[in-house]
Amino acid sequence: MNNVARVWWRKQRALWGVAVLSGVLSEMGCGEAPPPEETPPPAKTLLRVPLYSYIPDAAGDRFQALNARIEAEFERAHPEVDLVVNPPCFQDDLYEPAQLAASLRGEGACPYEMVEVDTSLLGELVATGAVRSWSALPEGPEWQPAGLTAVRVEGQLYGVPHWQCAHYVHSRSDTVSAARTVDELLAALEGLGTPQTNLAGNLLGSWNLPSLYLDAWTDTHGPSGVQSAVTTARYDTDVLAGMNRLARACDAQGQNPCLDGTYDDDIDLPEKRLARGEADASLGFSERLHVVLKNLPAGAPASALRLAPAPLGQGNQPLLFTDAFTLSARCTGACEQAARDFVAYMTRASTYQWMVLSEDAPAEGRVPRYLMPANRAVYALPAVAADAFYPVIGAASATGGAFPNTGLYGIRKQMRDHLRQALQAR
């Protein structure tokens, strides 16, 4: 065998040895490649949203069932989002822009990416720089005109409308409900001739009393110029005189619980008094009807109750508050998309329906919330339209003007003091 052949033979034996060894190791399991590392699932987008909390707790569980249903339904459709509504740590005052702004910036112990606020302070919240404008409203809802006005500041869209509110008179009288001016209302109450208090309602509060004045001003002059009434420099004397006469309807046995703080101690007391037959009428938002119905004596028919927009001036032009979703300036990219998906879910007619009809509460004893949706389509849903009171609420919301969204925050306490003095004058 020549040298070339010997070299070739040695190489072949070496290769055969490697092959045999590899086979043996494979049989022993030593030659298997390590399994590929599992790719961790993508992190979910965290979206924390305190909702406007001054709504009826229909289930009496501090909104636990409501929160759970919102989160479950939304996350089922959007599994990429970790939604937390009403974070347990939330303690901000919804009517203090500085507190809201700090948490929207991510400061403090309870940051959040979006918050639902009363647009009566939207201008002040926008001025903090903590919120950013929305690029567009969700498609689908039939927006109430007043809501569209309320969520814009200097032409920019800073909120997505959700709920609306207006002042109503709750009673058991068709004549009271038919009143179209404050004087007609007072005459109707006096004409009932009952020994009960004519009217129950809270006429105090740094937000409440100025809001009643602005509503009375709008009833008298119309909604187009209501921003001019947000001032402490002057007050409409005719409007003040009408409000003073309205306050006298609360007088009872030398006391006036509408002005002496009685209803500050128990905010449900005006509605409880109407329910028990201790007052001929109560003054409050539409959702206060929920409290009236909850407190009716056994066997008392709900069909006897009446609901109508409150005529507080020389006319009856509803002035609508709007609660809206505002977006943190730091919520961009995936966060913004999650926020857009969330407000689309919350303003969908089907979501509104189960919320206004209190379907988070047990069926037995269930009472609708009587909140005012900012989506007009909700009022046409068969289950909502069939309710005895929602058609009245829907009609009022269709014609209501927008409550001012700036200017009141800084002067509200001074306005309250001036107005209270006017209402207490004899």
Side-chain angles (χ1 to χ4, degrees):
M1 182 179 295
N2 59 30
N3 290 336
V4 173
R6 280 196 291 267
V7 170
W8 177 86
W9 179 247
R10 292 192 190 104
K11 288 182 177 179
Q12 288 299 107
R13 282 195 300 177
L15 290 173
W16 291 338
V18 170
V20 171
L21 180 60
S22 297
V24 172
L25 292 175
S26 295
E27 290 294 324
M28 295 171 60
C30 299
E32 293 179 357
E37 293 185 5
E38 293 185 6
T39 303
K44 291 189 175 185
T45 300
L46 179 61
L47 186 68
R48 296 161 291 190
V49 189
L51 301 177
Y52 188 76
S53 57
Y54 299 105
I55 67 172
D57 182 10
D61 62 353
R62 299 186 178 182
F63 305 108
Q64 291 184 24
L66 181 139
N67 296 346
R69 179 163 176 176
I70 290 173
E71 291 180 5
E73 287 189 353
F74 179 78
E75 291 182 352
R76 191 178 304 124
H78 299 279
E80 74 283 2
V81 179
D82 179 11
L83 173 65
V84 181
V85 295
N86 294 325
C89 59
F90 178 76
Q91 294 184 343
D92 292 347
D93 186 333
L94 284 170
Y95 285 87
E96 286 297 336
Q99 291 183 20
L100 298 173
S103 296
L104 284 163
R105 293 191 192 102
E107 303 166 0
C110 193
Y112 40 82
E113 288 69 44
M114 185 163 54
V115 63
E116 184 182 6
V117 300
D118 186 330
T119 56
S120 59
L121 50 75
L122 183 60
E124 285 74 19
L125 183 58
V126 169
T128 67
V131 295
R132 57 191 298 246
S133 61
W134 294 89
S135 57
L137 291 168
E139 296 181 0
E142 299 175 25
W143 301 106
Q144 300 283 19
L148 295 178
T149 299
V151 295
R152 293 185 180 275
V153 176
E154 297 182 354
Q156 292 291 310
L157 180 68
Y158 280 100
V160 175
H162 189 213
W163 300 119
Q164 295 186 302
C165 300
H167 294 115
Y168 289 81
V169 172
H170 311 80
S171 73
R172 292 182 174 86
S173 167
D174 290 329
T175 306
V176 169
S177 290
R180 290 295 174 264
T181 69
V182 65
D183 292 320
E184 289 181 10
L185 172 63
L186 296 174
L189 289 170
E190 192 64 29
L192 295 177
T194 71
Q196 285 75 35
T197 301
N198 284 349
L199 184 67
N202 196 345
L203 300 182
L204 301 180
S206 64
W207 287 101
N208 187 45
L209 185 50
S211 296
L212 288 165
Y213 170 77
L214 294 174
D215 195 353
W217 191 99
T218 299
D219 282 346
T220 302
H221 301 289
S224 61
V226 67
Q227 185 69 52
S228 68
V230 184
T231 178
T232 58
R234 61 193 178 279
Y235 297 93
D236 187 295
T237 54
D238 290 338
V239 171
L240 289 182
M243 292 184 67
N244 181 278
R245 294 194 295 275
L246 181 73
R248 302 283 69 77
C250 296
D251 288 342
Q253 301 175 344
Q255 303 294 321
N256 191 310
C258 296
L259 293 172
D260 65 12
T262 297
Y263 298 140
D264 277 343
D265 297 332
D266 184 352
I267 62 172
D268 291 340
L269 186 54
E271 291 75 31
K272 291 177 180 177
R273 285 185 165 172
L274 173 62
R276 296 192 296 246
E278 299 169 3
D280 291 329
S282 64
L283 174 66
F285 295 137
S286 60
E287 57 264 34
R288 304 307 295 170
L289 181 59
H290 176 93
V291 181
V292 178
L293 293 173
K294 281 281 193 178
N295 287 278
L296 285 177
S303 60
L305 293 170
R306 300 291 182 268
L307 178 72
L312 303 178
Q314 298 310 311
N316 196 359
Q317 169 64 60
L319 188 65
L320 303 185
F321 305 82
T322 298
D323 302 324
F325 294 106
T326 57
L327 185 64
S328 167
R330 62 188 176 82
C331 185
T332 60
C335 176
E336 181 181 6
Q337 184 59 54
R340 290 178 60 82
D341 291 337
F342 178 72
V343 296
Y345 162 78
M346 290 295 286
T347 55
R348 190 179 303 151
S350 58
T351 306
Y352 270 122
Q353 176 169 300
W354 72 257
M355 292 187 71
V356 299
L357 297 181
S358 302
E359 292 179 6
D360 52 305
E364 185 177 356
R366 181 183 294 166
V367 174
R369 285 189 165 92
Y370 293 112
L371 293 164
M372 300 175 66
N375 181 352
R376 288 187 292 181
V378 180
Y379 296 100
L381 296 173
V384 177
D387 182 84
F389 303 102
Y390 258 114
V392 174
I393 297 171
S397 67
T399 60
F403 193 90
N405 65 8
T406 190
L408 182 57
Y409 174 78
I411 65 171
R412 70 192 192 284
K413 294 181 180 179
Q414 189 177 0
M415 283 189 74
R416 172 204 59 198
D417 294 342
H418 293 167
L419 294 168
R420 184 174 183 177
Q421 184 177 5
L423 266 58
Q424 290 175 326
R426 295 284 177 171

